[in-house]
């Protein structure tokens, strides 16, 4: 059974930085992407960034130039470096692992950007 464990969320002032981590355990077969989604209060969950098994990354326009997604060589841990954070980045951030057969989700980690 694949499990995803996220860490790194918290409270940060506008302009600050946070780094999220998501570690996958279990047997992963035919991974397609790992990535981060977020859901703010009253809004739908949206893709923030993902990285394909081949290494190519994809970002939502609102975070381009501020966030960087990366992974370890084994593609079992994915990171999201978030710089120049804004209040509108406040949300619960979820890690997602997409395989050929199904998707897996983490439990979510809260990111709050506030002065």
């Amino acid at each position: 059974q694949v499990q995803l464990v996220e860490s790194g969320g918290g409270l940060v002032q506008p302009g600050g930085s946070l780094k999220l981590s998501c570690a996958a355990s279990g047997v992963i077969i035919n991974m397609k992407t790992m990535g981060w989604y977020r859901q703010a209060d009253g809004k739908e969950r949206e893709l923030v960034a993902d990285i394909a098994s081949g290494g190519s990354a994809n970002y939502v326009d609102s975070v381009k130039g501020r966030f960087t997604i990366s992974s370890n060589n084994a593609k079992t841990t994915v990171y999201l470096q978030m710089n120049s954070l804004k209040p509108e980045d406040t949300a619960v951030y979820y890690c997602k692992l997409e395989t050929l057969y199904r998707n897996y989700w983490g439990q979510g980690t809260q990111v709050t950007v506030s002065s």
Side-chain angles (χ1 to χ4, degrees), residues 4 22 31-38 46-61 63-64 67-71 75 77-81 93-99 103-105:
L4 303 178
C22 172
M31 189 196 86
K32 295 178 67 177
T33 66
M34 281 189 78
W36 292 93
Y37 286 67
R38 65 186 179 188
E46 66 169 354
L47 171 69
V48 178
D50 63 14
I51 187 164
S53 57
S56 60
N58 177 49
Y59 298 89
V60 68
D61 285 346
V63 307
K64 286 180 180 177
F67 292 9
T68 303
I69 191 168
S70 61
S71 66
K75 302 291 192 296
T77 302
V78 66
Y79 307 96
L80 187 67
Q81 177 67 47
Y93 283 69
Y94 296 91
C95 178
K96 176 187 173 184
L97 168 65
E98 179 187 9
T99 74
N103 298 325
Y104 300 89
W105 289 91

